Amino acid sequence: MINVGSRRLTVTDFEKVLYHGEQVGLEEGAQQNVSANYTFLQAYAQHKVIYGINTGLGPMAQYKISEDDQRQLQYNLIRSHSAGAGQPFAEELARATMLARLNSLMQATSGIHPSVVELLRDVLNSGVSPYIPERGGVGASGDLVQLAHLALNLIGEGEMYADQAWRPTRVVLGSRGITPISIHLREGLALMNGTSAMTGVGMVNLVQARQVLSLSIILSAMTNELMKSFDDHFSLELNHVKHHPGQAHIAERMRHVLSDSKLIRKRPEHLYHRKIEEAVFTDKVQEYYSLRCVPQILGPIYDTFLEVQRVLEDEVNSANDNPVVDHHREMVYHGGNFHGDYVSLAMDKLKIVTTKLTMLAERQLNYLLNDKLNQKLPPFINLGTLGLNFGLQGMQFMATSSTAENQTLSFPMYLHSISNNNDNQDIVSMGCNAALMTRRVLDNSADVLVVQALALAQAVDYLQCQPRLSSFTLKLYTELRALVPAILEDKPRYEDIRTVRRYLLGLGASFNL
């Protein structure tokens, strides 16, 4: 049970709820705080001008709303802004959005009726997902359009994904004995103002980023192993003189993967402690950068991952709507906590470094497939008949295409503000766009790593070096070959790519990054 409101939620908590079936509970003291916050606002709002309760919204905030129309205002807001387009959020993204919104509301600064947090808990635990379209919000008053669609579900309208199909929300909730909320005071605005969609997507991105970074470390290490690289470039001695913690950490993880390899060479044994007679060295004295500089390339990616995790965990544990209701100080504060710049910038950073990781994997793959570069393997690691068969040639096209797409997608959304809303929202974050683009970059990266893994398995088959592999890489090779046999004949490989992708993401999740 993950008790929301009792402590800071972490990306690990999101992973447990989204992927491991962990149930969500509400911490009793925090629940009481939510109730006290609502009771205070209900009394305090009498005869005062408070945005979104007795005023219009956005540029129309100058218009007073009569007491008789105040509840209708909230319904109008939800329904009018349920105007998104594009593909619906994947289930884990929709559920992550709900969990992020629940945790924000449990900070007890939103003035919402306690039934809202209870409903969010119940919907999360029921395993259904709200319909939230990908395109909509600009990330300034938060994820207004995406969260409007969530709010629409919570008032019993719209659609939900349940039992492998989209169904009317009232039918889904009714079949599970769940009652939609009624508007009491400002539930519409409190559900819609905030960064919970971009943050929820960001949390899912962090889970996948950990997987692809772990895989890149493992496959980079194995690439060095099969090419019989020297060990000094990932040694403790070399990397401790560069004072970046990420670089040192990546080098240590590579040493862990290769700890008992019999293929990795020690430079003194080959180049220092024996007399060299030849004028032209047959072996490269130093490996190509894509092999030799892995700690320096993946190091800043790891450091950025930790920075992004800190920002997103700070955001998901924040009050991020407007106004902020402080029942302890008996005051209502108006401002811009719904603005998504922190998340937008964090997602762009994660997107950029993931693209660099993809570029590294693509270069390592190219090295393995190009016999003129590696001088150890046949072209495209073709284990069939050269000329007649194609080896991994077709798969390389997909990997190259995916890498190129990532490079184009990596323009920062953080710098892409467009004024809108009658210039009320005159500078915006585009945070949800940034988070969704980052997800696409991560998906592409995973596919490139799949091809690299298959290439490494082919290389092992050609070199017949199984007895000399490290115990870690031998296990990886054995498990890969149990899923996909050696590629000899030409046949469609898209199902193999899907199968290996599922396996590799599981391996990345279990690796102690």
Side-chain angles (χ1 to χ4, degrees):
M1 177 75 71
I2 302 295
N3 276 316
V4 178
S6 60
R7 58 174 176 78
R8 280 172 60 90
L9 284 192
T10 66
V11 65
T12 302
D13 294 323
F14 273 74
E15 189 172 8
K16 289 177 180 178
V17 172
L18 300 177
Y19 300 107
H20 304 299
E22 196 85 26
Q23 293 284 287
V24 172
L26 303 179
E27 198 274 323
E28 185 177 352
Q31 250 185 306
Q32 293 171 355
N33 220 14
V34 169
S35 183
N37 188 255
Y38 166 74
T39 302
F40 160 74
L41 181 61
Q42 191 178 39
Y44 187 81
Q46 300 296 318
H47 313 299
K48 295 182 181 66
V49 177
I50 297 180
Y51 175 77
I53 293 179
N54 53 15
T55 76
L57 296 150
M60 295 184 288
Q62 304 309 112
Y63 293 91
K64 183 179 180 180
I65 304 300
S66 70
E67 187 173 350
D68 291 341
D69 289 334
Q70 286 174 13
R71 287 182 177 82
Q72 189 61 46
L73 172 70
Q74 302 296 315
Y75 285 111
N76 290 351
L77 176 64
I78 293 170
R79 290 164 180 156
S80 67
H81 284 61
S82 294
Q87 293 295 312
F89 273 19
E91 287 183 76
E92 67 266 29
L93 302 186
R95 289 171 54 74
T97 298
M98 283 196 291
L99 182 55
R101 197 77 210 124
L102 172 59
N103 198 50
S104 178
L105 296 175
M106 285 294 284
Q107 307 306 307
T109 63
S110 300
I112 47 100
H113 192 271
S115 61
V116 178
V117 293
E118 292 165 4
L119 177 59
L120 279 166
R121 174 202 60 197
D122 293 344
V123 174
L124 274 166
N125 289 339
S126 73
V128 301
S129 303
Y131 172 78
I132 301 174
E134 289 187 346
R135 297 207 308 273
V138 296
S141 282
D143 303 304
L144 277 177
V145 172
Q146 283 94 350
L147 293 180
H149 281 270
L150 171 59
L152 189 71
N153 278 258
L154 298 182
I155 63 172
E157 301 177 18
E159 297 175 274
M160 283 187 157
Y161 192 74
D163 306 318
Q164 306 300 310
W166 290 104
R167 305 179 190 277
T169 296
R170 284 200 177 274
V171 172
V172 172
L173 296 183
S175 68
R176 288 158 173 78
I178 300 174
T179 303
I181 61 166
S182 297
I183 298 296
H184 292 266
L185 192 60
R186 67 177 298 266
E187 283 75 24
L189 184 61
L191 282 165
M192 290 170 54
N193 256 182
T195 60
S196 300
M198 65 178 83
T199 307
V201 175
M203 284 295 199
V204 175
N205 287 345
L206 277 173
V207 172
Q208 192 168 348
R210 178 191 168 199
Q211 294 167 349
V212 299
L213 179 53
S214 295
L215 290 174
S216 188
I217 295 169
I218 294 166
L219 300 182
S220 294
M222 191 172 182
T223 303
N224 273 282
E225 180 180 32
L226 296 188
M227 295 300 103
K228 297 183 178 180
S229 296
F230 292 110
D231 70 348
D232 47 355
H233 63 259
F234 55 88
S235 66
L236 172 66
E237 292 77 9
L238 179 126
N239 286 281
H240 92 282
V241 300
K242 190 91 176 266
H243 296 175
H244 294 298
Q247 176 178 330
H249 182 78
I250 298 299
E252 187 278 326
R253 291 288 76 197
M254 292 181 71
R255 294 195 298 275
H256 168 74
V257 171
L258 300 173
S259 60
D260 55 354
S261 172
K262 300 177 182 65
L263 290 169
I264 291 292
R265 296 186 296 170
K266 297 189 177 299
R267 190 175 297 273
E269 294 175 8
H270 293 270
L271 297 178
Y272 292 173
H273 295 163
R274 64 185 181 88
K275 188 175 182 181
I276 306 297
E277 301 289 349
E278 56 264 57
V280 178
F281 304 124
T282 53
D283 275 347
K284 285 182 67 67
V285 176
Q286 296 191 113
E287 296 81 5
Y288 286 100
Y289 284 13
S290 60
L291 277 68
R292 188 188 351 148
C293 300
V294 172
Q296 293 81 2
I297 295 169
L298 294 185
I301 295 172
Y302 177 76
D303 286 338
T304 302
F305 173 86
L306 295 181
E307 178 191 350
V308 170
Q309 181 173 334
R310 177 189 60 78
V311 169
L312 261 70
E313 289 180 352
D314 282 348
E315 185 70 28
V316 84
N317 289 288
S318 299
N320 54 50
D321 58 349
N322 174 57
V324 166
V325 180
D326 187 340
H327 61 281
H328 300 290
R329 295 180 178 84
E330 298 187 346
M331 184 60 69
V332 176
Y333 302 98
H334 292 71
N337 279 0
F338 48 55
H339 206 284
D341 263 23
Y342 270 106
V343 178
S344 182
L345 179 57
M347 288 296 94
D348 279 348
K349 288 179 179 179
L350 186 60
K351 178 175 64 175
I352 289 167
V353 297
T354 301
T355 293
K356 191 60 178 280
L357 180 153
T358 313
M359 293 163 61
L360 174 66
E362 186 276 331
R363 288 292 82 196
Q364 291 171 344
L365 173 64
N366 183 71
Y367 179 80
L368 291 168
L369 299 184
N370 190 332
D371 59 306
K372 297 178 183 64
L373 291 178
N374 63 65
Q375 298 180 338
K376 289 181 173 67
L377 302 169
F380 305 107
I381 323 183
N382 187 346
L383 303 184
T385 302
L386 294 180
L388 177 63
N389 298 118
F390 289 88
L392 273 66
Q393 187 175 151
M395 287 192 224
Q396 185 182 21
F397 289 130
M398 182 275 285
T400 304
S401 171
S402 299
T403 303
E405 183 177 44
N406 277 6
Q407 290 172 316
T408 297
L409 286 171
S410 288
F411 180 87
M413 285 302 300
Y414 176 71
L415 300 179
H416 214 305
S417 176
I418 299 176
S419 181
N420 70 117
N421 195 227
N422 278 9
D423 285 333
N424 172 52
Q425 298 183 12
D426 57 350
I427 183 163
V428 299
S429 75
M430 299 294 182
C432 202
N433 293 30
L436 289 166
M437 290 172 70
T438 301
R439 176 176 170 82
R440 185 166 172 179
V441 166
L442 284 159
D443 283 341
N444 287 345
S445 180
D447 287 335
V448 175
L449 291 165
V450 168
V451 182
Q452 184 181 2
L454 288 169
L456 288 166
Q458 287 286 104
V460 172
D461 291 328
Y462 178 79
L463 297 170
Q464 292 293 296
C465 59
Q466 290 90 331
R468 305 188 69 196
L469 293 173
S470 77
S471 54
F472 191 109
T473 56
L474 177 60
K475 182 174 184 291
L476 169 59
Y477 165 79
T478 304
E479 291 175 350
L480 274 174
R481 277 292 169 253
L483 295 170
V484 177
I487 297 171
L488 304 174
E489 299 177 355
D490 296 317
K491 66 176 187 177
R493 295 292 172 184
Y494 60 93
E495 290 182 355
D496 291 343
I497 291 171
R498 291 177 193 160
T499 299
V500 172
R501 179 191 169 102
R502 285 192 295 271
Y503 161 72
L504 287 178
L505 291 178
L507 174 64
S510 65
F511 184 69
N512 184 15
L513 180 60

